[in-house]
Amino acid sequence: MKAIRLECRAVTKRFASRQRGADPIVAVRDLNFTIADGEVVSLIGPSGCGKSTLLNMGSGLDPASEGQVLVDGEVVTKPNEHVAFMLQKDLLLPWRTIRENVEFGLEIRGRPARERRATALELLRKCRLPDFADHYPHQLSGGMRQRAALARTLAVDPAVLLMDEPFSALDAQTKMVLQYDLSRTLADTGKTALFVTHDLVEAISLSDRVLVMSQRPGRIIEEIVVDIPDRDNCMERRKSPKIGPYVARLMELLHIDDQLH
């Protein structure tokens, strides 16, 4: 049995209302799930249902109001080196080269310069950016910048990757290429990942399981196990005739057809 990397135990998150005297806003309520070592799990749900809030709690940026979030069996109370967070924006530092950006987390941790450089160059090779190590972020396309951001995320060798719609701002073709890169990279490294997306095909093609959340306050209303081969190659999954029924079920759970009438 694989070790549990990420776990939520009866997690509820409340935020104070901006209206004086109003009740607190409950973002998520009573979330319970686990993610095992090497698993990739996608989280989908309506806008505002608390998906990003959940990632913030998992990364230690925001505490749970009730319950516990655990990484490798330890309660998350603050940011820690076991978790890396990749956002919608690449947030590369414009004054540093791409290699120096990838090295940044290792530099903060005090790793030797030779080790930082070797790690960064190897990851840039895996992310198909070996010829751009000495370029600056403004010299790269959006897709290339996201590849660099992925390399930076992997450089600190986290136990868990939290990813908040990292490809949502990209055009369709570039997005598919980066999805392929991510699926191969996660398979090659054996990393555990929780991936937030609004793209239903992306969720199915990248994941071992998909967790579906309700309207706010967000709850897990269904867990879908993706029984399609080739999780390490999302392009092959996209071609599978099995993907249609999964997408149809997600549309049903999210009431997408109802919103069109």
Side-chain angles (χ1 to χ4, degrees), residues 13-15 24-29 45-51 53 213-219:
K13 179 63 181 178
R14 299 184 184 88
F15 293 99
I25 296 170
V26 182
V28 298
R29 174 175 288 155
S47 295
C49 72
K51 299 184 296 295
T53 296
M213 294 183 69
S214 68
Q215 293 278 359
R216 191 178 71 224
R219 298 174 294 105

Side-chain angles (χ1 to χ4, degrees), residues 87-89 146 164-172 175 179 195-199 202:
L87 303 171
Q88 295 177 30
K89 295 183 179 180
Q146 284 300 86
D164 194 357
E165 297 192 79
F167 309 140
S168 61
L170 303 174
D171 65 86
K175 185 175 181 179
Q179 288 169 351
F195 191 94
V196 166
T197 180
H198 282 97
D199 184 330
E202 181 175 69

